[in-house]
């Protein structure tokens, strides 16, 4: 999109002599200030857990209205609960069955 041009024409009739006319044009320019921001927030109550993750982006284009968009994604993870127990005995310190071991 090219910048707009502003044109003015002035005409006049002097008391003596021919009519006069003059035209002048100027191209209008404006400082372009496009911008974008991204606001990402998290609820501290959900730290350490999975769930919805939301972000909002807002932008100011060189022309036209500001724009905003929000999007969410639900995070999932494979759950893999597990427990491991390793039990060993030192045969040099065991006693009789049912009796406590003496170290």
């Amino acid at each position: 999109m090219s910048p707009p041009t502003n044109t003015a024409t002035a005409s006049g009739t002097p008391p003596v002599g021919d009519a006069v006319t003059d035209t002048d044009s100027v191209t209008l320019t404006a400082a372009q200030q496009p911008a974008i921001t991204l606001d990402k927030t998290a609820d501290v109550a959900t730290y350490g857990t999975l769930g919805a993750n939301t972000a909002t982006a807002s932008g100011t284009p060189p022309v036209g209205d500001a724009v905003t968009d929000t999007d969410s994604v639900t995070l999932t993870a494979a759950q893999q609960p597990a427990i491991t127990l390793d039990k060993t005995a030192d045969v040099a310190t065991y006693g009789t069955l049912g009796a406590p071991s003496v170290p």
Side-chain angles (χ1 to χ4, degrees):
M1 182 171 150
S2 60
T5 301
N6 188 344
T7 302
T9 302
S11 300
T13 306
V16 183
D18 296 332
V20 293
T21 300
D22 191 23
T23 300
D24 200 5
S25 295
V26 64
T27 300
L28 304 174
T29 59
Q32 302 295 313
Q33 298 177 331
I36 190 166
T37 59
L38 177 63
D39 295 323
K40 176 73 174 87
T41 58
D43 181 356
V44 295
T46 63
Y47 283 2
T49 63
L50 298 175
N53 187 335
T54 303
T56 300
S58 301
T60 305
V63 294
D65 296 332
V67 293
T68 299
D69 189 30
T70 300
D71 201 5
S72 293
V73 64
T74 299
L75 304 175
T76 57
Q79 303 297 312
Q80 299 175 341
I83 189 168
T84 302
L85 175 63
D86 293 324
K87 175 79 168 114
T88 59
D90 182 353
V91 294
T93 60
Y94 73 91
T96 58
L97 185 62
S101 296
V102 178

